[in-house]
Amino acid sequence: MNDILWGYIVIAMMVVCALYFTFRLRAVQFTRIGEMMHLLTHSSKTDSPDNLKDTMEAGYAGGSDERSRKAISPFRAFAVGLSSRVGTGNLAGVASAIFIGGPGAVFWMWLMALLGASSSFVESTLAQLYKRRDSRTGVYYGGPAYYMQYGMHKRWMGIIFAVLITLSYSLATQLVQSKTMADAFSVSIDMAMGNAPGTSTIWVGVAVTVATALIIFGGIQRISRFAAIVVPIMAIGYMLMALYVIMTNFMLIPDVIELIVKSALGIDQAAGGMVGLAIMQGVKRGLYSNEAGEGTVPNAAAIAETSHPVKQGLLQALGVFCDTIIICTCTAFIVLISGLYTPEHGMDGILLTQAALEQEMGVAGRYFLTAAILMFAYSTIIAGYFYGETNLRFIFGRNANPNGSEKKENVAIFFFRVATALVILAGAMMTLQDSFSIVDLLMGLMTIANLIAIICLFPRVKMLLDDYVRQRKEHRDPVFRKEVLPKELQDDVECW
């Protein structure tokens, strides 16, 4: 089933959607990149323009000092989304794509990210449009399940998606992240202490479990604060390390770029392998890493307090570039500079990345990568948990379910937190093959459901973007009024 889903259906749908959105939105991911950077650097506080007269007239959902304290800034929502994108796939997945598909896989990874950013823009804008506010805490929740129910009026479809993302991203994926962390960290500890390999694995698993519980039992406020601090640190630290490797091998960079392009286009088959294999690996690993169109990141996009849905859509499109064009490229250059990616060396995944770094930086490279894996995987675990919580609130909470209740919601969230902790502990001590198969299957089905939804709801995103562009041309900070939508659509929108 995975061969059919990922070999044909999912990748074909994602490519077609990315091309369609890029064309219909006039390449918004390129033409508005300057604005993305502006929003990123000016969104550390909640984007609540309550002091503007036109905002008050629009009935914008900003408000009291208590609300302001609880509101989550666009940057923190961006950081939560990026923490799920940036994971072990950036370190191990890229190396595996090069090992299997040759250097040309990097080119197709770049291309898919450039086009796929449009899909991320669409799904994240929809998440903002159809978000709902928790009546008790005042914070927002949203995502594909919410725009399936309120935008498409298909609650059954939203429930199916909520179940799929909770099982795949919030539970099964945690096994993979936990195992990767435990293996990498225990190896370094055991080598340093002279223990037999694997001696410290269980203790690493316990430590990660406790650390995760401290964060997730604190709710979305603590999760978003954690992401806003850890994600920039881990991303910048890894980029600085990659920059060091690149600068010390600066004369090789033109050759590396030439190798990537020639391999991708079939000009250098000896180095690149089959073009079809390079395309398949580049597209698949790129999508797995940046998640554009999968329906995961919109759960994070919805939590931001912002004046216009398009703002968060632009920020999350920028997240695709940060993940693939910057961080994945760092790994690709390190691996290709080392020359260890060829079949005769027989190294794949994280072992290849680790060996490449150790060759360029000595033993310090191995320890630095261990720390990077710990931070990347841990941040992904936290984001994955939050996505599960969001969708459980959709199924059991009274905000999205007429038959829901606060008691049902609290019970479901508590048991989910306990289950997350147990899964992380179990993941540190089990093999990965079955986990990967389950994750791929559930994610494939989840992605298909999300792509169907965003295609159906795309005309509304086009309306929002046109409204945003019009206000920008008038030199105004865009503020969304639901009155710009047709009258029959306005009742579906709650928070605007």
Side-chain angles (χ1 to χ4, degrees):
M1 289 184 69
N2 281 332
D3 289 343
I4 295 172
L5 279 177
W6 288 100
Y8 303 97
I9 301 173
V10 177
I11 289 180
M13 287 182 66
M14 296 188 86
V15 171
V16 170
C17 287
L19 288 169
Y20 176 74
F21 294 147
T22 298
F23 175 74
R24 289 294 309 279
L25 297 174
R26 299 179 181 179
V28 65
Q29 70 268 39
F30 307 129
T31 58
R32 296 283 165 181
I33 195 164
E35 199 153 341
M36 294 177 193
M37 298 304 299
H38 174 79
L39 290 170
L40 180 64
T41 56
H42 290 77
S43 63
S44 59
K45 297 181 179 180
T46 53
D47 182 23
S48 175
D50 294 311
N51 57 331
L52 301 179
K53 182 179 179 181
D54 61 343
T55 302
M56 297 303 292
E57 292 173 351
Y60 174 72
S64 66
D65 291 339
E66 179 65 20
R67 279 282 315 284
S68 297
R69 285 194 295 270
K70 293 180 178 179
I72 294 171
S73 72
F75 175 78
R76 281 164 63 180
F78 168 81
V80 173
L82 190 60
S83 68
S84 74
R85 299 186 200 271
V86 179
T88 54
N90 297 78
L91 303 177
V94 176
S96 182
I98 294 173
F99 177 75
I100 298 173
V106 179
F107 175 88
W108 298 109
M109 192 179 294
W110 289 338
L111 184 60
M112 196 59 232
L114 293 173
L115 295 174
S118 63
S119 300
S120 187
F121 170 81
V122 172
E123 61 184 359
S124 297
T125 301
L126 285 171
Q128 268 287 320
L129 178 63
Y130 290 107
K131 66 186 179 183
R132 290 301 191 264
R133 185 185 301 114
D134 189 294
S135 58
R136 294 163 298 160
T137 64
V139 300
Y140 296 112
Y141 291 95
Y146 291 78
Y147 54 70
M148 288 171 185
Q149 173 167 329
Y150 296 107
M152 300 177 68
H153 301 285
K154 298 184 185 301
R155 178 167 173 79
W156 63 267
M157 188 177 182
I159 291 176
I160 290 174
F161 180 89
V163 171
L164 288 172
I165 191 174
T166 302
L167 292 176
S168 64
Y169 207 89
S170 303
L171 289 177
T173 300
Q174 310 293 48
L175 297 171
V176 177
Q177 302 295 334
S178 177
K179 179 63 175 176
T180 304
M181 272 195 296
D183 284 351
F185 212 63
S186 64
V187 166
S188 296
I189 293 175
D190 292 337
M191 288 181 65
M193 299 184 65
N195 296 331
T199 302
S200 61
T201 299
I202 186 171
W203 300 112
V204 173
V206 170
V208 173
T209 302
V210 172
T212 301
L214 291 175
I215 298 294
I216 65 177
F217 275 89
I220 182 54
Q221 292 288 340
R222 189 176 296 176
I223 291 171
S224 64
R225 284 194 295 268
F226 167 83
I229 295 172
V230 171
V231 171
I233 291 175
M234 72 180 186
I236 292 172
Y238 187 66
M239 285 188 287
L240 289 175
M241 179 204 64
L243 183 62
Y244 168 80
V245 174
I246 292 170
M247 293 306 296
T248 54
N249 296 274
F250 185 74
M251 299 302 294
L252 297 176
I253 298 304
D255 294 334
V256 168
I257 295 175
E258 182 181 3
L259 176 63
I260 291 172
V261 175
K262 284 185 175 181
S263 300
L265 302 179
I267 300 173
D268 187 357
Q269 287 298 306
M274 296 176 61
V275 174
L277 193 57
I279 294 174
M280 182 66 68
Q281 286 298 312
V283 172
K284 183 176 180 179
R285 295 300 181 184
L287 293 174
Y288 192 85
S289 176
N290 62 52
E291 302 177 21
E294 284 187 356
T296 51
V297 173
N299 294 274
I303 68 177
E305 180 95 27
T306 186
S307 66
H308 202 291
V310 167
K311 290 185 175 181
Q312 189 62 204
L314 291 171
L315 275 176
Q316 296 300 345
L318 180 63
V320 175
F321 295 150
C322 292
D323 174 87
T324 304
I325 304 301
I326 298 178
I327 299 177
C328 286
T329 299
C330 288
T331 300
F333 276 24
I334 291 171
V335 169
L336 292 174
I337 286 172
S338 73
L340 299 176
Y341 61 89
T342 52
E344 56 265 26
H345 291 95
M347 288 181 290
D348 188 9
I350 197 64
L351 295 177
L352 174 54
T353 307
Q354 190 174 42
L357 264 180
E358 193 164 350
Q359 176 176 291
E360 300 300 323
M361 298 182 64
V363 69
R366 182 175 70 236
Y367 289 115
F368 187 95
L369 186 63
T370 299
I373 291 171
L374 177 66
M375 297 179 73
F376 279 35
Y378 185 56
S379 68
T380 302
I381 285 175
I382 299 301
Y385 162 79
F386 169 66
Y387 294 165
E389 178 181 312
T390 297
N391 286 276
L392 285 176
R393 290 183 185 278
F394 171 82
I395 296 173
F396 296 103
R398 59 185 178 184
N399 287 334
N401 180 5
N403 297 319
S405 68
E406 183 176 334
K407 181 178 180 181
K408 290 179 181 178
E409 183 178 347
N410 288 338
V411 170
I413 296 300
F414 174 79
F415 280 107
F416 179 61
R417 288 170 175 170
V418 174
T420 298
L422 293 176
V423 164
I424 292 169
L425 182 60
M429 298 175 286
M430 65 182 294
T431 59
L432 296 181
Q433 286 80 2
D434 290 341
S435 298
F436 270 123
S437 297
I438 295 170
V439 169
D440 286 344
L441 178 61
L442 294 172
M443 275 195 170
L445 297 173
M446 178 182 74
T447 302
I448 291 172
N450 183 58
L451 291 176
I452 292 172
I454 63 177
I455 280 287
C456 292
L457 297 172
F458 173 74
R460 300 170 201 191
V461 176
K462 187 69 167 61
M463 293 179 198
L464 266 61
L465 181 60
D466 290 343
D467 175 65
Y468 182 87
V469 171
R470 176 183 58 79
Q471 294 188 54
R472 290 295 294 155
K473 288 180 177 178
E474 295 171 356
H475 304 288
R476 291 194 292 153
D477 182 16
V479 176
F480 175 65
R481 298 176 175 87
K482 66 179 179 180
E483 286 73 20
V484 304
L485 297 172
K487 189 173 181 61
E488 64 269 17
L489 301 180
Q490 294 176 18
D491 290 341
D492 298 331
V493 178
E494 178 185 272
C495 297
W496 300 96

